[in-house]
Amino acid sequence: MIKDNVAAILRQLPPGVELVAAAKTRTAAEILEAVEAGVKIIGENYVQEAAGVFPAVGRRARWHFIGHLQTNKVKRAVEIFDLVETVDSVALGLEIDRRSAAAGKTMDVLVEVNSGREPQKAGVLPEEAEPLVRALAGLPNLRVLGLMTMGPFEGDPEDSRPYFKETKKVWDELKALAIPGAEMRRLSMGMTNSWRVAVEEGATMVRIGTAVFGPRT
Ligand SMILES: *Cc1c(COP(=O)(O)O)cnc(C)c1O
């Protein structure tokens, strides 16, 4: 079933758009099934949970962190993850830089944009993305590769469109600025209900859980 789900999604994704299989609550066996079906990137929300499934899957896939990263989890995160999609403060960027330096690694990151401007949500406001990208771009052990957004809606995917559009606009503006150390190559937007709209609005990565693994129980 996971195999068929992955095949169906990969068939529908246009060239150049990457699938991140959002794997929170899934077992190592489920993740391995997805990887065998062609998933190249696993997204995890919790460092602890990722550490539990990582030994079974290892480097057969790339690992993206897509949750809220606490400073005290950065050291372990740097060991597992290839890219952190959710950097939203200089403080977090500094800690990732420091821990990456200690591990002899350069960490790829995206800046998370709170495109819905929801006070309780993670991410920087769209107008705060440029100063944060500039600050992160100067850190020697970070490589800023783009932006990520969640958008506020769970319901009608059309309701997400304005938020994807706004994030794409910020991404385009940052790309035009050509800030050294910050290449705008990746734009991570869209989940199970909204990925088609996100792709129409320029996403280069979609994060899909339910449509890959089935409903979370
Ligand atoms: C769970 C999750 C997804 C995927 O959600 P689905 O609706 O199951 O596709 C995408 N992005 C993030 C950050 C998530 O936590």
Side-chain angles (χ1 to χ4, degrees), residues 22 24 45 66 148 150 190-193 207-211 216:
K24 58 181 173 277
N45 293 64
I66 61 174
M148 176 271 207
M150 292 283 288
M191 321 200 321
T192 290
N193 74 331
R207 307 177 309 272
I208 303 181
T210 308
R216 280 181 293 274

Side-chain angles (χ1 to χ4, degrees), residues 2-25:
I2 291 174
K3 196 164 165 272
D4 299 336
N5 293 345
V6 169
I9 294 165
L10 291 178
R11 253 196 324 272
Q12 294 172 70
L13 283 180
V17 179
E18 294 182 291
L19 169 62
V20 178
K24 58 181 173 277
T25 76

Side-chain angles (χ1 to χ4, degrees), residues 88-102:
D88 64 357
S89 72
V90 176
L92 178 57
L94 282 169
E95 182 64 9
I96 297 173
D97 183 64
R98 186 169 84 84
R99 294 293 188 178
S100 300

Side-chain angles (χ1 to χ4, degrees), residues 10-206:
L10 291 178
R11 253 196 324 272
Q12 294 172 70
L13 283 180
V17 179
E18 294 182 291
L19 169 62
V20 178
K24 58 181 173 277
T25 76
R26 312 302 179 171
T27 64
E30 291 173 300
I31 295 171
L32 278 170
E33 192 178 336
V35 169
E36 275 153 25
V39 163
K40 302 262 190 299
I41 307 171
I42 304 296
E44 287 283 2
N45 293 64
Y46 301 99
V47 176
Q48 199 88 340
E49 201 179 316
V53 291
F54 181 78
V57 182
R59 300 288 168 205
R60 270 176 280 188
R62 301 206 303 281
W63 294 81
H64 285 197
F65 188 81
I66 61 174
H68 178 68
L69 186 53
Q70 292 167 281
T71 312
N72 64 350
K73 299 280 164 50
V74 169
K75 182 171 188 282
R76 189 75 178 103
V78 161
E79 293 166 4
I80 296 171
F81 291 96
D82 300 290
L83 188 151
V84 177
E85 295 201 14
T86 50
V87 177
D88 64 357
S89 72
V90 176
L92 178 57
L94 282 169
E95 182 64 9
I96 297 173
D97 183 64
R98 186 169 84 84
R99 294 293 188 178
S100 300
K105 172 167 181 174
T106 300
M107 180 62 80
D108 291 341
V109 302
L110 308 182
V111 164
E112 180 173 1
V113 177
N114 180 358
S115 55
R117 298 176 180 273
E118 297 166 286
Q120 75 282 16
K121 284 268 181 81
V124 293
L125 295 176
E127 61 273 21
E128 295 167 346
E130 184 191 329
L132 180 55
V133 164
R134 286 192 187 278
L136 299 175
L139 299 177
N141 294 282
L142 288 198
R143 202 160 65 127
V144 183
L145 288 184
L147 303 180
M148 176 271 207
T149 198
M150 292 283 288
F153 290 102
E154 300 276 310
D156 184 347
E158 276 304 322
D159 293 344
S160 298
R161 193 181 293 278
Y163 304 98
F164 295 156
K165 241 187 228 308
E166 175 160 24
T167 309
K168 169 65 157 54
K169 185 167 159 264
V170 173
W171 188 76
D172 283 337
E173 287 164 1
L174 285 165
K175 191 186 260 194
L177 288 171
I179 298 163
E183 294 167 65
M184 290 296 120
R185 278 202 248 155
R186 306 254 167 90
L187 181 57
S188 176
M189 317 193 287
M191 321 200 321
T192 290
N193 74 331
S194 60
W195 69 264
R196 288 179 180 82
V197 172
V199 167
E200 285 168 14
E201 296 303 333
T204 76
M205 292 196 308
V206 291

